[in-house]
mmCIF file of all heavy atoms in Angstrom:
data_model
loop_
_atom_site.group_PDB
_atom_site.id
_atom_site.type_symbol
_atom_site.label_atom_id
_atom_site.label_comp_id
_atom_site.label_asym_id
_atom_site.label_seq_id
_atom_site.Cartn_x
_atom_site.Cartn_y
_atom_site.Cartn_z
ATOM 1 N N ASP L 63 -3.457 -28.249 -75.372
ATOM 2 C CA ASP L 63 -2.286 -28.904 -75.976
ATOM 3 C C ASP L 63 -1.278 -29.207 -74.895
ATOM 4 O O ASP L 63 -1.171 -28.499 -73.883
ATOM 5 C CB ASP L 63 -1.663 -28.033 -77.045
ATOM 6 C CG ASP L 63 -2.592 -27.702 -78.191
ATOM 7 O OD1 ASP L 63 -3.453 -28.576 -78.508
ATOM 8 O OD2 ASP L 63 -2.531 -26.612 -78.764
ATOM 9 N N ALA L 64 -0.505 -30.264 -75.088
ATOM 10 C CA ALA L 64 0.482 -30.655 -74.097
ATOM 11 C C ALA L 64 1.761 -31.105 -74.772
ATOM 12 O O ALA L 64 1.723 -31.798 -75.792
ATOM 13 C CB ALA L 64 -0.035 -31.733 -73.174
ATOM 14 N N GLU L 65 2.904 -30.672 -74.257
ATOM 15 C CA GLU L 65 4.210 -31.049 -74.792
ATOM 16 C C GLU L 65 4.934 -31.955 -73.806
ATOM 17 O O GLU L 65 4.813 -31.774 -72.598
ATOM 18 C CB GLU L 65 5.054 -29.821 -75.048
ATOM 19 C CG GLU L 65 4.515 -28.897 -76.141
ATOM 20 C CD GLU L 65 5.470 -27.753 -76.455
ATOM 21 O OE1 GLU L 65 6.578 -27.742 -75.889
ATOM 22 O OE2 GLU L 65 5.053 -26.870 -77.234
ATOM 23 N N ASN L 66 5.666 -32.900 -74.349
ATOM 24 C CA ASN L 66 6.512 -33.793 -73.561
ATOM 25 C C ASN L 66 5.698 -34.715 -72.666
ATOM 26 O O ASN L 66 6.128 -35.075 -71.559
ATOM 27 C CB ASN L 66 7.515 -33.012 -72.715
ATOM 28 C CG ASN L 66 8.789 -33.780 -72.432
ATOM 29 O OD1 ASN L 66 9.059 -34.800 -73.060
ATOM 30 N ND2 ASN L 66 9.537 -33.314 -71.437
ATOM 31 N N VAL L 67 4.509 -35.106 -73.149
ATOM 32 C CA VAL L 67 3.652 -36.019 -72.375
ATOM 33 C C VAL L 67 4.341 -37.376 -72.189
ATOM 34 O O VAL L 67 4.114 -38.067 -71.204
ATOM 35 C CB VAL L 67 2.278 -36.174 -73.044
ATOM 36 C CG1 VAL L 67 1.365 -37.074 -72.211
ATOM 37 C CG2 VAL L 67 1.638 -34.821 -73.232
ATOM 38 N N GLU L 68 5.155 -37.732 -73.167
ATOM 39 C CA GLU L 68 5.863 -39.018 -73.094
ATOM 40 C C GLU L 68 6.662 -39.176 -71.782
ATOM 41 O O GLU L 68 6.733 -40.245 -71.191
ATOM 42 C CB GLU L 68 6.819 -39.193 -74.285
ATOM 43 C CG GLU L 68 6.145 -39.139 -75.652
ATOM 44 C CD GLU L 68 6.058 -37.722 -76.193
ATOM 45 O OE1 GLU L 68 6.260 -36.767 -75.391
ATOM 46 O OE2 GLU L 68 5.775 -37.587 -77.391
ATOM 47 N N GLN L 69 7.240 -38.054 -71.344
ATOM 48 C CA GLN L 69 8.010 -38.083 -70.115
ATOM 49 C C GLN L 69 7.116 -38.346 -68.913
ATOM 50 O O GLN L 69 7.483 -39.096 -67.983
ATOM 51 C CB GLN L 69 8.766 -36.762 -69.933
ATOM 52 C CG GLN L 69 9.634 -36.725 -68.685
ATOM 53 C CD GLN L 69 10.821 -35.817 -68.844
ATOM 54 O OE1 GLN L 69 11.957 -36.259 -69.031
ATOM 55 N NE2 GLN L 69 10.576 -34.534 -68.778
ATOM 56 N N LEU L 70 5.921 -37.731 -68.943
ATOM 57 C CA LEU L 70 5.002 -37.956 -67.837
ATOM 58 C C LEU L 70 4.454 -39.401 -67.823
ATOM 59 O O LEU L 70 4.253 -39.981 -66.758
ATOM 60 C CB LEU L 70 3.832 -36.990 -67.925
ATOM 61 C CG LEU L 70 2.991 -36.774 -66.668
ATOM 62 C CD1 LEU L 70 3.869 -36.450 -65.462
ATOM 63 C CD2 LEU L 70 1.978 -35.626 -66.887
ATOM 64 N N VAL L 71 4.304 -39.984 -69.005
ATOM 65 C CA VAL L 71 3.910 -41.395 -69.080
ATOM 66 C C VAL L 71 4.974 -42.266 -68.438
ATOM 67 O O VAL L 71 4.679 -43.173 -67.640
ATOM 68 C CB VAL L 71 3.711 -41.815 -70.564
ATOM 69 C CG1 VAL L 71 3.561 -43.331 -70.690
ATOM 70 C CG2 VAL L 71 2.473 -41.109 -71.147
ATOM 71 N N GLU L 72 6.242 -41.974 -68.760
ATOM 72 C CA GLU L 72 7.350 -42.783 -68.185
ATOM 73 C C GLU L 72 7.376 -42.612 -66.654
ATOM 74 O O GLU L 72 7.605 -43.576 -65.922
ATOM 75 C CB GLU L 72 8.659 -42.302 -68.788
ATOM 76 C CG GLU L 72 9.869 -43.081 -68.268
ATOM 77 C CD GLU L 72 11.173 -42.581 -68.889
ATOM 78 O OE1 GLU L 72 11.122 -41.866 -69.912
ATOM 79 O OE2 GLU L 72 12.254 -42.903 -68.330
ATOM 80 N N LEU L 73 7.115 -41.409 -66.171
ATOM 81 C CA LEU L 73 7.134 -41.153 -64.738
ATOM 82 C C LEU L 73 5.989 -41.937 -64.066
ATOM 83 O O LEU L 73 6.197 -42.542 -63.000
ATOM 84 C CB LEU L 73 6.980 -39.682 -64.444
ATOM 85 C CG LEU L 73 8.196 -38.793 -64.791
ATOM 86 C CD1 LEU L 73 7.825 -37.319 -64.772
ATOM 87 C CD2 LEU L 73 9.335 -39.071 -63.815
ATOM 88 N N TYR L 74 4.820 -41.940 -64.642
ATOM 89 C CA TYR L 74 3.699 -42.678 -64.075
ATOM 90 C C TYR L 74 3.981 -44.175 -64.091
ATOM 91 O O TYR L 74 3.641 -44.911 -63.137
ATOM 92 C CB TYR L 74 2.403 -42.366 -64.812
ATOM 93 C CG TYR L 74 1.583 -41.289 -64.147
ATOM 94 C CD1 TYR L 74 1.678 -39.982 -64.545
ATOM 95 C CD2 TYR L 74 0.696 -41.601 -63.098
ATOM 96 C CE1 TYR L 74 0.923 -38.979 -63.924
ATOM 97 C CE2 TYR L 74 -0.045 -40.601 -62.483
ATOM 98 C CZ TYR L 74 0.074 -39.307 -62.892
ATOM 99 O OH TYR L 74 -0.650 -38.305 -62.269
ATOM 100 N N GLN L 75 4.607 -44.646 -65.144
ATOM 101 C CA GLN L 75 4.944 -46.087 -65.233
ATOM 102 C C GLN L 75 5.898 -46.465 -64.137
ATOM 103 O O GLN L 75 5.684 -47.458 -63.421
ATOM 104 C CB GLN L 75 5.571 -46.386 -66.604
ATOM 105 C CG GLN L 75 5.891 -47.870 -66.786
ATOM 106 C CD GLN L 75 6.611 -48.126 -68.103
ATOM 107 O OE1 GLN L 75 7.441 -47.324 -68.533
ATOM 108 N NE2 GLN L 75 6.250 -49.221 -68.772
ATOM 109 N N LYS L 76 6.906 -45.674 -63.901
ATOM 110 C CA LYS L 76 7.912 -45.964 -62.826
ATOM 111 C C LYS L 76 7.266 -45.798 -61.445
ATOM 112 O O LYS L 76 7.603 -46.570 -60.543
ATOM 113 C CB LYS L 76 9.108 -45.033 -63.000
ATOM 114 C CG LYS L 76 10.004 -45.351 -64.174
ATOM 115 C CD LYS L 76 11.179 -44.407 -64.242
ATOM 116 C CE LYS L 76 12.081 -44.755 -65.415
ATOM 117 N NZ LYS L 76 13.250 -43.842 -65.503
ATOM 118 N N PHE L 77 6.345 -44.852 -61.320
ATOM 119 C CA PHE L 77 5.654 -44.684 -60.063
ATOM 120 C C PHE L 77 4.833 -45.957 -59.739
ATOM 121 O O PHE L 77 4.886 -46.457 -58.603
ATOM 122 C CB PHE L 77 4.742 -43.480 -60.111
ATOM 123 C CG PHE L 77 3.954 -43.231 -58.835
ATOM 124 C CD1 PHE L 77 4.478 -42.393 -57.861
ATOM 125 C CD2 PHE L 77 2.735 -43.840 -58.627
ATOM 126 C CE1 PHE L 77 3.756 -42.166 -56.668
ATOM 127 C CE2 PHE L 77 2.016 -43.623 -57.447
ATOM 128 C CZ PHE L 77 2.528 -42.795 -56.466
ATOM 129 N N GLN L 78 4.119 -46.446 -60.720
ATOM 130 C CA GLN L 78 3.270 -47.608 -60.506
ATOM 131 C C GLN L 78 4.131 -48.888 -60.299
ATOM 132 O O GLN L 78 3.632 -49.856 -59.698
ATOM 133 C CB GLN L 78 2.300 -47.789 -61.647
ATOM 134 C CG GLN L 78 1.261 -46.665 -61.724
ATOM 135 C CD GLN L 78 0.212 -46.883 -62.829
ATOM 136 O OE1 GLN L 78 0.324 -47.795 -63.645
ATOM 137 N NE2 GLN L 78 -0.793 -46.022 -62.830
ATOM 138 N N GLN L 79 5.344 -48.857 -60.798
ATOM 139 C CA GLN L 79 6.276 -49.950 -60.548
ATOM 140 C C GLN L 79 7.020 -49.816 -59.207
ATOM 141 O O GLN L 79 7.903 -50.596 -58.890
ATOM 142 C CB GLN L 79 7.287 -50.055 -61.712
ATOM 143 C CG GLN L 79 6.657 -50.446 -63.038
ATOM 144 C CD GLN L 79 7.648 -50.313 -64.199
ATOM 145 O OE1 GLN L 79 8.707 -49.672 -64.072
ATOM 146 N NE2 GLN L 79 7.291 -50.920 -65.326
ATOM 147 N N GLU L 80 6.680 -48.762 -58.451
ATOM 148 C CA GLU L 80 7.278 -48.463 -57.155
ATOM 149 C C GLU L 80 8.787 -48.196 -57.257
ATOM 150 O O GLU L 80 9.530 -48.527 -56.347
ATOM 151 C CB GLU L 80 6.970 -49.590 -56.157
ATOM 152 C CG GLU L 80 5.490 -49.766 -55.927
ATOM 153 C CD GLU L 80 5.172 -50.811 -54.858
ATOM 154 O OE1 GLU L 80 6.146 -51.455 -54.374
ATOM 155 O OE2 GLU L 80 3.995 -50.972 -54.521
ATOM 156 N N LYS L 81 9.175 -47.550 -58.344
ATOM 157 C CA LYS L 81 10.555 -47.178 -58.513
ATOM 158 C C LYS L 81 10.801 -45.709 -58.134
ATOM 159 O O LYS L 81 11.929 -45.354 -57.739
ATOM 160 C CB LYS L 81 10.984 -47.366 -59.969
ATOM 161 C CG LYS L 81 11.012 -48.822 -60.407
ATOM 162 C CD LYS L 81 11.451 -48.917 -61.897
ATOM 163 C CE LYS L 81 11.474 -50.380 -62.344
ATOM 164 N NZ LYS L 81 11.867 -50.506 -63.783
ATOM 165 N N ILE L 82 9.771 -44.851 -58.224
ATOM 166 C CA ILE L 82 9.928 -43.441 -57.914
ATOM 167 C C ILE L 82 8.694 -42.921 -57.193
ATOM 168 O O ILE L 82 7.631 -43.548 -57.205
ATOM 169 C CB ILE L 82 10.179 -42.607 -59.190
ATOM 170 C CG1 ILE L 82 8.908 -42.614 -60.090
ATOM 171 C CG2 ILE L 82 11.381 -43.049 -59.974
ATOM 172 C CD1 ILE L 82 8.963 -41.609 -61.222
#
Side-chain angles (χ1 to χ4, degrees):
D63 299 328
E65 295 185 7
N66 207 15
V67 182
E68 301 89 346
Q69 182 151 256
L70 197 52
V71 170
E72 181 181 344
L73 289 167
Y74 265 95
Q75 182 184 38
K76 289 181 178 179
F77 180 92
Q78 293 184 352
Q79 293 170 346
E80 299 184 355
K81 294 180 179 179
I82 67 171

